[in-house]
């Protein structure tokens, strides 16, 4: 277990992503994955009120509903840390105070709980004054509906602005950041967000830790993705420099007798500002390699080789 920044919350150093629930995994499989994650020591689950509105036929909230039915069936709410997000649900777009309040209540209802452990502003909302959004999060925190304020996809400048307003107005500052960060996407996280996380003691839990599957090595070329569900996201990582990273991950994995996904996640967990990478598993079979990353410590030479090859990507 490791500390989630200054929240006082202990978390397993790998977070289970929930965007697969109700998208690439049905409810039964999702519950199996959740059971296996917890059996493997995991306790922190990531979702959003908007998952997975982007799937034809869905309206958003499907992932929270599946997590809610699992929490109810297992009666384990107190031992699980639930993170969810606001601003992207089709009915609750943006971060105006009334939207945040209504979206939080809708998330609580779907999750079947009366508190959210980690509540993220999912994306910045330039149309709502930051001070109003921060006030809305503070109302939720004071009401006991959320335990921790968190930010995802914010620029370094806007995180700093949020921190400054919190200090000035006496609000609880954000304690968790959720950036896009992995071996093939090191910027802008390392340049503009990691320094803030380190200086402020804020926990960073990155998403797309496996670059949507690209770092598992299962896609040898773009044709392997053609027509697939991950074509658009994983496809963006294909480049000569990206494939060079995959090759080094593969070398280390074969030398260590580990899966490539285990190595890619272990590198991320070893970064100084990272508390726990977020990763999702579509199937039960994918999970053991992911859990194994929590106990795989890369050597200094392995880390240096990955640092060097991944730094070649702009
Ligand atoms: N804050 C944000 O804006 C934001 C954005 C995106 C995601 N997220 C969060 O981050 C989580 C993770 O994102 P993600 O799932 O899109 O990307 P990811 O973690 O980089 O990739 C996970 C995907 O890789 C594949 N995979 C996993 N283990 C594997 C294995 N052992 N062997 C082969 N393939 C494997 C699976 O997809 P396939 O089997 O389908 O290939 C799995 O769904 C999400 O669930 C969500 O909670 C947050």
């Amino acid at each position: 277990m490791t500390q989630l920044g200054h929240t006082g919350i202990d978390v397993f150093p790998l977070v289970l992503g929930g965007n697969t629930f109700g998208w690439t995994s049905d409810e039964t499989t999702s519950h199996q994955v959740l059971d296996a994650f917890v059996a493997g020591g995991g306790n922190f689950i990531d979702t959003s009120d908007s998952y997975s509105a982007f799937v034809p036929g869905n309206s958003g909230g499907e992932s929270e509903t599946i997590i809610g039915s699992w929490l109810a069936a297992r009666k384990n709410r107190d031992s699980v840390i639930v993170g969810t997000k606001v601003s992207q649900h089709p009915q609750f777009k943006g971060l105006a105070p009334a939207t945040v309040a209504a979206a939080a209540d809708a998330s609580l209802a779907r999750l079947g709980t009366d508190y959210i452990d980690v509540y993220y502003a999912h994306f910045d909302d330039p149309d709502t004054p930051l001070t109003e959004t921060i006030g809305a999060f503070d109302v939720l925190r004071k009401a006991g509906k959320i335990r921790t304020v968190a930010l995802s996809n914010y620029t370094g400048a806007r995180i700093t602005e949020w921190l400054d307003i919190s200090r000035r107005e006496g609000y609880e500052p954000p304690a968790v950041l959720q950036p896009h960060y992995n071996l093939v996407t090191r910027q802008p996280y390392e340049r503009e967000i990691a320094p803030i996380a380190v200086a402020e003691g804020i926990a960073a839990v990155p998403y797309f830790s496996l670059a949507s599957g690209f770092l598992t090595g299962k896609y040898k070329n773009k044709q392997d993705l053609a027509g697939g569900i991950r074509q658009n996201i994983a496809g963006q990582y294909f480049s000569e420099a990206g494939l060079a990273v995959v090759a080094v991950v593969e070398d280390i994995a074969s030398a260590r007798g580990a899966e490539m996904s285990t190595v890619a996640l272990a590198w991320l967990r070893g970064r100084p500002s990272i508390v726990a990478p977020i990763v999702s598993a579509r199937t039960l079979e994918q999970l053991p390699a992911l859990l194994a990353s929590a106990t795989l410590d890369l050597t200094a030479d392995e880390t240096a080789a990955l640092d060097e090859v991944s730094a070649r990507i702009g």
Side-chain angles (χ1 to χ4, degrees):
M1 287 291 185
T2 184
Q3 281 272 310
L4 188 65
H6 48 68
T7 61
I9 298 173
D10 278 332
V11 293
F12 186 76
L14 187 79
V15 184
L16 183 66
N19 70 356
T20 42
F21 306 155
W23 175 32
T24 54
S25 314
D26 63 17
E27 183 172 33
T28 304
T29 304
S30 303
H31 284 190
Q32 287 170 349
V33 168
L34 284 159
D35 283 339
F37 177 68
V38 168
N43 69 335
F44 190 1
I45 298 161
D46 185 75
T47 185
S48 164
D49 65 352
S50 59
Y51 300 162
S52 290
F54 52 84
V55 179
N58 280 4
S59 50
E62 290 77 11
S63 172
E64 288 181 336
T65 300
I66 286 175
I67 293 168
S69 63
W70 176 75
L71 292 169
R74 304 299 181 265
K75 300 186 172 36
N76 61 356
R77 175 67 189 95
D78 291 348
S79 60
V80 173
I81 306 301
V82 177
T84 192
K85 316 186 188 86
V86 54
S87 87
Q88 299 300 300
H89 188 286
Q91 274 184 290
F92 306 107
K93 285 271 190 194
L95 293 169
T99 308
V100 172
D105 283 343
S107 285
L108 288 167
R110 283 188 292 264
L111 289 163
T113 182
D114 51 11
Y115 68 97
I116 293 160
D117 298 281
V118 182
Y119 200 46
Y120 295 89
H122 199 161
F123 281 86
D124 197 354
D125 173 5
D127 298 327
T128 302
L130 207 45
T131 181
E132 290 184 15
T133 299
I134 298 172
F137 272 70
D138 192 60
V139 169
L140 292 174
R141 207 184 56 78
K142 290 201 171 112
K145 293 183 179 182
I146 67 170
R147 291 175 71 190
T148 301
V149 177
L151 307 178
S152 184
N153 301 304
Y154 275 61
T155 62
R158 290 287 275 177
I159 295 168
T160 300
E161 210 178 322
W162 189 304
L163 285 164
D164 288 346
I165 294 171
S166 304
R167 281 196 191 100
R168 199 175 62 229
E169 309 289 336
Y171 296 131
E172 190 83 0
V176 184
L177 300 175
Q178 187 177 136
H180 178 180
Y181 181 49
N182 57 46
L183 263 170
V184 283
T185 318
R186 290 176 58 179
Q187 305 303 342
Y189 173 73
E190 289 188 7
R191 193 171 48 238
E192 61 175 74
I193 298 169
I196 302 173
V198 171
E200 302 282 345
I202 302 178
V205 293
Y207 70 84
F208 283 164
S209 299
L210 291 178
S212 279
F214 178 72
L215 290 166
T216 67
K218 66 182 174 182
Y219 306 119
K220 299 298 175 208
N221 52 56
K222 271 197 165 181
Q223 280 66 49
D224 292 341
L225 271 165
I229 213 157
R230 301 246 171 202
Q231 181 173 1
N232 290 340
I233 311 174
Q236 69 181 317
Y237 300 106
F238 271 93
S239 67
E240 210 174 301
L243 291 167
V245 172
V246 171
V248 175
V249 173
E250 189 166 20
D251 286 349
I252 295 170
S254 71
R256 295 290 290 257
E259 296 285 334
M260 290 174 64
S261 51
T262 311
V263 171
L265 293 170
W267 177 83
L268 207 47
R269 178 177 61 78
R271 306 303 287 168
S273 59
I274 297 301
V275 168
I278 307 174
V279 68
S280 68
R282 178 176 49 84
T283 64
L284 204 48
E285 292 69 34
Q286 290 177 343
L287 195 62
L290 313 181
L291 287 167
S293 70
T295 47
L296 179 74
D297 292 321
L298 298 177
T299 65
D301 284 350
E302 289 165 343
T303 302
L306 289 167
D307 288 354
E308 193 276 318
V309 71
S310 62
R312 292 186 217 158
I313 299 175

